[in-house]
Amino acid sequence: MIFVITEHKDNKLKPITSELLVFAQRVGRDFGQPVTAVVLGSSTASLADELKTRKIDRVITAEHADLGEYNPDSYVEVLKSILEKEKPFLVLIGHTTQGMDFAPRLSVRLRRPLIAGCVEYEKQADRLILTRQVFNAKMNMKTSPRGEPPYFATASPGAFPGDEVETGGSAAVVAFPVQLSGGSRRKLLERVEAPKGKADLTSAPIIVSGGRGLKQKENFSLVFELAEAIGGSVGASRPVVDAEWLPREYQVGSSGQTVSPRLYIAVGISGAIQHLVGMQTSRCIVAINKDPEAPIFKVAHYGIVDDLFKVVPALTKIFKDLKQA
Amino acid sequence: MKIISCIKPVPDSASRLIINEAKTWIKDQDLTFVASEADNYALEEALRLKEKHSGDVVVLSMGGEEAARVLRSGLAMGADRAIHLLDPKFKGADEFAAAATLAKVIEKDGGADLVLTGVQSDDLGTGMTGTMLAEFLGWAHATVVVGVEANPDAKSLKVRRELEGGINESVELPMPAVLTVQFGINQPRYASLKGIMAAKRKEFKAVTAADLGLADDAVGKAGAMYEVREILIPARKSRVEMISGTPEEEAASLVEKLRKEAKVL
């Protein structure tokens, strides 16, 4: 059996859940294993109704008032009892803030392997090989879990195409009786939206984004000048924001804004997966970077491997000339 | 408060990484090692908490000379003492084996009020070790931390976590706890000359697997939960059209393609 631990918010399945189901359906086909989706929550009926239409075998629901808001103690306790009873082969979890908050604890509590941040898998003579990215996505590492199953794996957001999930199923929905021994040690106080400020990039048609390749804060003027000449907005990668070259509201990526403009120009951005998931659906992506191995080129439509300090001013000049013409 | 700051040595970001002959890791000779970037933020946060609430900061690392180097620099930044997990048997540890060893040395050192790690390392980058460590210790934890307020008298912490899509949440948790600290939580300080001089007189202890009573098959590669089959540079499955020439030619050609081919201008 392959288990998918679903992720949901406001009674809706999150996109990572479809990606995990695609991962599970593919591994399930290759290894001849049925797929089960697991939903934890305080009210799971509508989520289960949606899940059972996917081409899977079973939906397990675990309902409890204390599972209404995610907390790691309750999740680990409930999942441990489900997994010990069901003994699956593989347990798939999102490589998300929530998934990575409980998956490592669960893996240690059961003393079973966790391969985190998977982007691919393969079957080698009946063995499951899981591939993850290492060294900021510059290299891939193929791993095989040791010992007896269950094996845990978290899937990187964007690694599996959620829109290819097979539907047309009518899975059985089974309720798992939840018993929780105590409350959660971690108490949720509040959840707030970080201010978006003036740099709301989600509706910008053209974005010019800069990364660490600009070397220092002062050089970011190159990005602003190009954006102005082309009539676009400015974005940034996480390291730029961490170094305080620009405020947090400019950040594009999984912990910043998710954007999908008509044109996205990435200047000196190597393209960590966290950045790629925030911009890879842009209609046209241009990457300018001196490192030909930079992962950004994997999602780009047009690439220039050259010194950005020469290419960007040349581009700005062309757009300025075009404007005047 | 006693705060332990875990630091992983990783190759300097400017390093040219070459895969070893066995294709199981990179060639780590001749590389310059530095503290993994997120661990620097964690150490800075530990020092700030100590300055506010008084107490001790212990830096902890595993490895050979590269670990000693990041520990010395942690002492120079202001940590009070260092523990160096130094044993050839520790080599090849995965996150699970590393967390098990860290938990053991922390227990042996009398525990702590708080353990801080970076949210993820610059090499494996999976963000597992800190949370696994919390489970081995049986402590509460919080991941992706962007703000910490400690109340040592009440043995409690108020922590701000960063979630996806620009959402933050505040949570309360009891101490002792493990926090994995997000990039950008603070601006890490540089070691002063005075700090570097003072570091030479601070306690620096090396610890082996035997000192911790850990069996050979519980540490390093033998204690790992998974096998590394192969490290490779991924084949580029891409749609990218590369444009080359002088910078001026590249710029002109790109604009032409954006207008005529992609029709996005």
Side-chain angles (χ1 to χ4, degrees), chain A residues 101 109 135 292 299 302, chain B residues 123 135 139 143 236 239 261:
Chain A
D101 196 64
R109 194 157 309 172
F135 289 107
V299 301
Y302 298 105
Chain B
D123 52 4
E135 178 66 21
W139 298 359
T143 49
R236 194 183 288 148
R239 57 193 170 188
E261 251 177 49

Side-chain angles (χ1 to χ4, degrees), chain A residues 164-190:
Chain A
E164 289 178 23
V165 63
E166 290 178 54
T167 55
S170 55
V173 178
V174 185
F176 185 87
V178 176
Q179 280 177 319
L180 284 169
S181 60
S184 161
R185 284 176 287 188
R186 190 202 287 176
K187 302 261 181 287
L188 177 64
L189 301 174
E190 62 166 351

Side-chain angles (χ1 to χ4, degrees), chain A residues 55-289:
Chain A
K55 215 168 180 176
I56 56 177
D57 258 64
R58 200 167 45 141
V59 180
I60 294 179
T61 60
E63 265 190 28
H64 193 286
D66 290 353
L67 294 170
E69 290 286 356
Y70 162 80
N71 78 76
D73 291 331
S74 307
Y75 259 58
V76 170
E77 188 180 348
V78 172
L79 288 170
K80 177 178 183 271
S81 51
I82 294 175
L83 298 175
E84 280 176 346
K85 178 168 175 276
E86 298 283 338
K87 301 185 172 58
F89 164 64
L90 180 66
V91 182
L92 300 177
I93 300 168
H95 195 71
T96 55
T97 312
Q98 179 174 308
M100 283 310 289
D101 196 64
F102 71 85
R105 281 204 96 118
L106 187 57
S107 121
V108 169
R109 194 157 309 172
L110 273 84
R111 298 294 192 271
R112 304 305 326 132
L114 165 61
I115 315 286
C118 295
V119 291
E120 279 172 32
Y121 77 93
E122 58 196 85
K123 186 184 173 186
Q124 279 182 14
D126 281 334
R127 290 196 78 165
L128 175 65
I129 310 289
L130 291 156
T131 302
R132 59 151 69 151
Q133 294 179 318
V134 293
F135 289 107
N136 290 316
K138 280 189 189 147
M139 294 182 192
N140 280 356
M141 178 193 255
K142 293 185 179 184
T143 61
S144 54
R146 293 168 67 180
E148 293 299 308
Y151 308 130
F152 293 95
T154 62
S156 275
F160 293 88
D163 52 2
E164 289 178 23
V165 63
E166 290 178 54
T167 55
S170 55
V173 178
V174 185
F176 185 87
V178 176
Q179 280 177 319
L180 284 169
S181 60
S184 161
R185 284 176 287 188
R186 190 202 287 176
K187 302 261 181 287
L188 177 64
L189 301 174
E190 62 166 351
R191 225 168 251 159
V192 290
E193 199 151 334
K196 276 214 180 78
K198 58 184 175 186
D200 183 5
L201 299 173
T202 51
S203 55
I206 298 175
I207 297 173
V208 184
S209 253
R212 191 131 62 167
L214 284 150
K215 294 203 172 86
Q216 51 184 331
K217 184 177 179 177
E218 291 65 37
N219 297 335
F220 226 87
S221 57
L222 290 175
V223 173
F224 277 95
E225 284 159 18
L226 176 56
E228 198 194 327
I230 199 171
S233 308
V234 171
S237 68
R238 160 141 230 154
V240 160
V241 171
D242 286 343
E244 298 184 358
W245 296 356
L246 281 182
R248 184 71 56 195
E249 66 214 50
Y250 286 89
Q251 188 182 321
V252 172
S254 57
S255 49
Q257 302 188 52
T258 300
V259 301
S260 196
R262 187 167 80 226
L263 174 61
Y264 188 92
I265 303 181
V267 177
I269 293 177
S270 66
I273 185 92
Q274 293 86 347
H275 187 78
L276 300 185
V277 297
M279 45 63 78
Q280 63 191 0
T281 57
S282 304
R283 202 165 108 204
C284 179
I285 298 169
V286 174
I288 304 168
N289 202 300

Side-chain angles (χ1 to χ4, degrees), chain B residues 1 45 49 52-53 114 116 145-150 157-160 179 181 185:
Chain B
M1 272 171 85
E45 205 57 27
L49 286 166
K52 199 164 175 188
H53 301 286
L114 199 56
L116 300 183
V145 168
V146 292
V148 186
E149 279 172 51
L157 290 166
K158 202 177 144 188
V159 161
R160 200 150 49 83
L179 306 180
V181 172
I185 185 177

Side-chain angles (χ1 to χ4, degrees), chain B residues 9 61-71 84-87 91:
Chain B
S61 187
M62 186 193 289
E65 176 51 33
E66 73 283 4
R69 183 189 156 110
V70 300
L71 287 172
H84 184 188
L85 289 161
L86 175 64
D87 194 325
K91 211 170 161 55

